[in-house]
Amino acid sequence: MSSNQELVVLGKLGSSHGIKGWLKITSYTDSVEGIFDYSPWLIKEQGVWREVKVAQWRFQGKAVVAELEGVATREDAQMLTNCEIAIKSEQMKELDDSEFYHRDLIGCEVTNINGYNMGIIEQIVETGSNDVLLVKANAKDAFGKAERMIPFVPEQFIKQVDLQGKQILVDWDPDF
């Protein structure tokens, strides 16, 4: 695999489950089973990404477990515990023009409706009720802010998202 390919981490492998090589799966997708919509997976084992395929999966209580091709014993599965699960970015589903992935917002410049440059989005924090943009303020911020937390609430606070121009327009007081 080429090192310049962008990967998207979707979850990680948990502990082994049973004696036939099944593993518990921690999924970062919206729905727990959404991780199985993607194939093949790439897993990071001892710092190296390698391709794997899911042979089968099932719910185990509220969790999910999976059998990976080539992993047949509990010992094989234990060697993979805590490995990250990723896919190539081109495997991501195409979205409508009004939709976007969190990763698309990272690095966007945030400006308020009065034209004040609030800074650059460093991270998106999921809070349950709504996501929050963690914006790193400019080095010489007029309000002395190092960072701002802006709720990602379309129409109320988020007025426009321009992914092409890497710009987000917000209705937010720069002193808050």
Side-chain angles (χ1 to χ4, degrees):
M1 189 182 93
S2 132
S3 62
N4 64 352
Q5 244 176 342
E6 187 179 343
L7 300 181
V8 179
V9 175
L10 296 181
K12 73 176 186 175
L13 300 173
S15 61
S16 59
H17 177 77
I19 60 171
K20 294 186 179 180
W22 286 66
L23 288 147
K24 294 178 183 173
I25 306 295
T26 300
S27 173
Y28 304 150
T29 56
D30 283 342
S31 65
V32 174
E33 68 273 15
I35 195 168
F36 299 106
D37 292 343
Y38 301 95
S39 183
W41 287 351
L42 297 166
I43 59 170
K44 191 173 188 178
E45 188 178 10
Q46 298 176 350
V48 178
W49 292 100
R50 73 175 174 94
E51 193 173 286
V52 297
K53 291 188 178 180
V54 176
Q56 56 182 324
W57 69 274
R58 69 174 183 258
F59 279 98
Q60 187 69 33
K62 292 184 180 180
V64 289
V65 294
E67 176 187 20
L68 304 179
E69 289 181 2
V71 180
T73 67
R74 181 178 189 84
E75 292 75 23
D76 292 343
Q78 287 172 335
M79 298 295 291
L80 300 176
T81 297
N82 293 323
C83 288
E84 289 183 308
I85 301 168
I87 60 170
K88 297 173 186 170
S89 60
E90 58 264 16
Q91 288 177 263
M92 298 291 289
K93 295 177 182 174
E94 289 292 322
L95 299 176
D96 296 334
D97 289 340
S98 62
E99 298 178 308
F100 38 81
Y101 291 109
H102 281 182
R103 68 187 180 94
D104 297 333
L105 300 177
I106 305 297
C108 285
E109 184 177 73
V110 179
T111 306
N112 78 356
I113 56 175
N114 296 324
Y116 186 80
N117 184 324
M118 309 278 274
I120 304 290
I121 298 175
E122 277 195 328
Q123 182 180 354
I124 288 64
V125 180
E126 294 183 32
T127 64
S129 58
N130 58 269
D131 296 337
V132 174
L133 304 176
L134 183 61
V135 179
K136 181 179 181 188
N138 299 314
K140 296 181 181 180
D141 187 78
F143 296 90
K145 302 284 185 187
E147 67 182 19
R148 293 179 171 86
M149 296 183 82
I150 303 172
F152 195 88
V153 181
E155 296 177 20
Q156 184 177 359
F157 302 125
I158 307 300
K159 297 300 182 184
Q160 182 181 1
V161 176
D162 174 10
L163 292 180
Q164 297 286 66
K166 299 290 282 179
Q167 297 280 325
I168 297 180
L169 182 66
V170 299
D171 185 0
W172 196 253
D173 186 340
D175 195 25
F176 191 68

